[in-house]
Coordinates of all heavy atoms in Angstrom, one line a residue:
S2 N 81.7 -64.6 123.9 CA 82.4 -64.9 125.1 C 81.9 -64.1 126.3 O 82.2 -64.5 127.4 CB 83.9 -64.6 124.9 OG 84.1 -63.3 124.5
C38 N 62.5 -55.5 119.2 CA 62.3 -54.4 118.3 C 63.0 -54.6 116.9 O 62.9 -53.8 116.0 CB 63.0 -53.1 118.9 SG 64.8 -53.1 119.0
M51 N 93.6 -63.7 108.5 CA 93.3 -64.2 107.1 C 92.5 -65.5 107.2 O 91.8 -65.8 106.3 CB 94.6 -64.3 106.3 CG 95.3 -63.1 106.1 SD 94.4 -61.8 105.3 CE 94.3 -62.4 103.7

Side-chain angles (χ1 to χ4, degrees):
S2 61
C38 71
M51 296 301 287

